[in-house]
């Protein structure tokens, strides 16, 4: 089951990368022209990235719920109460803080959570780079 969990985690990060790539391409097309006056492109990009990351976190919570139903794949312990709130919280904490939370992954599912933390780090830095590049262009035009 360990190898299956490893492969599952790796596959989920690859899917996350594809989803994020499409999301970023969409954001770049949706954001107003960078030559536009004001800071609308920055705020629109920020808002769209927030929505994209929220979607990614919710998607992982759904995947977690499905994986927890597989016998022998592992469980969530600590303060996990079996609710959607707990799944979303664990998903988000794995995504943004490398998994430091009061909910603990137990068994092979730990590998999936580890990969989601890696994926979260990768797409968050990708998003930060996009936002920084847009801010730089706008701020250069304003000076």
């Amino acid at each position: 089951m360990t190898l299956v969990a490893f492969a599952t985690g790796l596959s989920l990060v690859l899917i996350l990368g594809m989803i994020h790539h499409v999301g970023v391409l969409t954001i770049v097309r949706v954001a107003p022209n960078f030559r536009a006056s004001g800071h609308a492109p920055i705020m629109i990009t920020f808002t769209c990235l927030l929505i994209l990351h929220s979607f990614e976190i919710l998607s992982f919570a759904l995947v977690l719920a499905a994986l927890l139903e597989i016998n022998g794949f592992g469980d969530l312990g600590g303060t996990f109460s079996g609710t959607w709130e707990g799944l979303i919280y664990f998903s988000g904490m794995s995504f943004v803080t490398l998994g430091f939370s009061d909910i603990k992954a137990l068994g092979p599912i730990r590998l999936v959570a580890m990969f989601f933390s890696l994926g979260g780090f990768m797409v968050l830095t990708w998003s930060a780079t996009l936002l920084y590049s847009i801010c730089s262009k706008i701020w250069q035009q304003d000076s």
Side-chain angles (χ1 to χ4, degrees), residues 93-131:
M93 293 305 286
S94 296
F95 191 80
V96 301
T97 67
L98 300 178
F100 298 121
S101 81
D102 51 341
I103 297 175
K104 305 292 180 214
L106 307 169
I109 203 165
R110 293 182 308 159
L111 297 174
V112 176
M114 174 206 64
F115 271 106
F116 192 61
S117 292
L118 173 63
F121 174 77
M122 293 172 73
V123 299
L124 286 169
T125 54
W126 186 352
S127 294
T129 303
L130 171 65
L131 189 58

Side-chain angles (χ1 to χ4, degrees), residues 50-128:
L50 177 63
I51 292 167
L52 177 60
H53 289 298
S54 296
F55 172 77
E56 292 163 347
I57 289 167
L58 289 171
S59 296
F60 186 66
L62 290 170
V63 169
L64 266 178
L67 293 176
L68 289 171
E69 294 298 318
I70 298 173
N71 205 11
F73 216 87
D75 204 356
L76 295 179
T79 62
F80 182 63
S81 61
T83 64
W84 279 105
E85 178 186 346
L87 285 170
I88 294 167
Y89 171 77
F90 180 76
S91 175
M93 293 305 286
S94 296
F95 191 80
V96 301
T97 67
L98 300 178
F100 298 121
S101 81
D102 51 341
I103 297 175
K104 305 292 180 214
L106 307 169
I109 203 165
R110 293 182 308 159
L111 297 174
V112 176
M114 174 206 64
F115 271 106
F116 192 61
S117 292
L118 173 63
F121 174 77
M122 293 172 73
V123 299
L124 286 169
T125 54
W126 186 352
S127 294

Side-chain angles (χ1 to χ4, degrees), residues 25-40:
L25 288 176
T26 302
I27 290 168
V28 169
R29 288 186 187 115
V30 167
N33 187 318
F34 294 128
R35 292 183 200 97
S37 62
H39 295 271

